[in-house]
Amino acid sequence: MTADVIDGKAFSESLKQDVAKQVAILKEKYNLIPGLAVVLVGENPASQIYVRNKNKSTLAAGMKSFEHRLTPDVSEAELVGLVHKLNDDPAVHGILVQLPLPKHINEAAVIDAISPAKDVDGFHVINSGLLATGGKGMVPCTPLGCIMMLKNRLGNMSGLDAVVVGRSNIVGKPMAQLLLNENCTVTIAHSRTRNLSGVVKRADIVIAAVGVPELVKGDWIKDGAIVIDVGINRIEEEDGKTKLVGDVEYAAAARHAAAITPVPGGVGPMTIALLLKNTVTAACRQTNVAEPEI
Ligand code: NDP
């Protein structure tokens, strides 16, 4: 068996086009231009690339982008002060503080300061609570992108066995919650899980969000399973060049799976498209406007 490749890049491009159409309708009908503020603290090279891409994609979708770059020595109080200002700014509908933050700043305190209605990353405790209790909050972009790809492939997921490897607050836990909302039977595995291979082997859906290169072996994948690889790991090859690999042993897993996401080009591009979509949703909710259906 050779798996179908789930093309996250193509999927995200079509999603971004849909978002741009929504933005055009909002502008024309309500004079509403969704705005996203991105706050970057320090000079982490990966974060700088993410922020640049977010800014570019936001503008390309016809939205407003507000970029705030702060020096690495900024105090927690100053950062929280900026977040409060953005909370009060009616032109800003979404706020994203790029993580990780420098060690002297308490990330949880900064995320807590973001108005839950503007928390387009979906990390605020109110939004985690709403997701867990079936309420209408903001859902974290990466798991939201994964569930969209799964729904697109499978349609109805009711009763399927899903295993999420990883239990972080930003990927693993919300992912498990979204699968539960689709009536999957969900197992969450983590670093203390015994017999991980056995747990993965019984899954119809495998989500790997670990951060360990190729931890999930190809022969752990049940024939016909769907594999979503969230991991992004930079590894050095023998010739000194670096390449990106996921948390799944891709080529071997593709021999068993019915469909699999590649790294790069799978989950990664979806995350940014869902950030734009969440910003449109937030803008519509804050202004009591129905979100245009495309
Ligand atoms: P975290 O480091 O926060 O969490 C990793 C999880 O994996 C933990 O729950 C940990 O278990 C578990 N884990 C670690 N080692 C093992 C092991 N040997 N066996 C089983 N479980 C293990 O990572 P994130 O959730 O933030 O990210 C995971 C991956 O996804 C990373 O590669 C990251 O770069 C990528 N990522 C990709 C995004 C995208 O847009 N595509 C967005 C966000 C993340 P425990 O809790 O027991 O320590």
Side-chain angles (χ1 to χ4, degrees):
M1 178 180 273
T2 304
D4 295 338
V5 178
I6 302 176
D7 186 345
K9 206 156 180 256
F11 200 150
S12 81
E13 284 310 320
S14 90
L15 249 176
K16 283 184 191 170
Q17 281 174 19
D18 288 351
V19 170
K21 284 181 200 156
Q22 286 185 303
V23 172
I25 294 170
L26 292 172
K27 265 187 207 170
E28 197 187 303
K29 271 179 101 173
Y30 308 102
N31 198 22
L32 169 61
I33 305 177
L36 173 65
V38 178
V39 181
L40 173 64
V41 181
E43 275 142 22
N44 178 321
S47 295
Q48 283 181 326
I49 295 171
Y50 292 144
V51 167
R52 203 176 314 135
N53 289 341
K54 282 166 188 170
N55 177 34
K56 233 170 78 186
S57 301
T58 308
L59 294 174
M63 304 200 280
K64 281 188 187 152
S65 171
F66 307 93
E67 221 179 286
H68 295 267
R69 288 172 181 265
L70 306 177
T71 54
D73 58 354
V74 69
S75 71
E76 186 178 309
E78 282 173 285
L79 177 54
V80 167
L82 171 61
V83 168
H84 286 153
K85 263 197 205 140
L86 297 172
N87 284 343
D88 294 338
D89 184 345
V92 172
H93 304 98
I95 302 169
L96 180 150
V97 178
Q98 185 66 46
L99 303 179
L101 291 171
K103 294 225 171 342
H104 67 279
I105 298 177
N106 177 351
E107 282 186 359
V110 176
I111 292 169
D112 275 357
I114 299 173
S115 156
K118 295 191 177 186
D119 168 38
V120 281
D121 251 344
F123 295 165
H124 194 287
V125 70
I126 296 268
N127 284 318
S128 328
L130 287 168
L131 179 61
T133 53
K136 212 171 93 178
M138 301 305 305
V139 178
C141 305
T142 300
L144 192 53
C146 295
I147 208 83
M148 282 185 89
M149 289 195 283
L150 283 169
K151 273 192 187 168
N152 184 258
R153 170 81 200 190
L154 291 168
N156 185 0
M157 288 183 255
S158 184
L160 294 181
D161 275 316
V163 169
V164 182
V165 190
R167 57 172 165 179
S168 70
N169 288 340
I170 63 172
V171 189
K173 282 181 199 157
M175 187 70 242
Q177 198 61 57
L178 288 169
L179 289 161
L180 195 57
N181 291 351
E182 295 299 322
N183 298 315
C184 291
T185 303
V186 185
T187 304
I188 307 176
H190 45 79
S191 67
R192 314 290 168 87
T193 297
R194 292 183 192 164
N195 186 18
L196 183 60
S197 62
V199 171
V200 172
K201 269 179 188 164
R202 56 169 200 257
D204 304 304
I205 297 169
V206 179
I207 314 278
V210 186
V212 177
E214 301 183 336
L215 174 89
V216 176
K217 302 300 168 210
D219 61 5
W220 296 2
I221 304 299
K222 180 163 101 174
D223 285 342
I226 311 294
V227 179
I228 306 288
D229 190 350
V230 182
I232 303 176
N233 308 291
R234 203 170 287 278
I235 59 165
E236 197 166 315
E237 294 188 287
E238 277 168 16
D239 59 7
K241 287 188 184 149
T242 58
K243 72 164 183 174
L244 290 184
V245 297
D247 290 342
V248 178
E249 205 185 19
Y250 181 81
R255 288 198 281 276
H256 295 278
I260 185 166
T261 58
V263 177
V267 175
M270 290 296 284
T271 300
I272 205 155
L274 268 305
L275 173 67
L276 304 181
K277 176 105 185 107
N278 272 354
T279 305
V280 168
T281 302
C284 291
R285 288 184 188 164
Q286 283 159 47
T287 51
N288 288 320
V289 158
E291 190 171 335
E293 281 188 30
I294 302 295

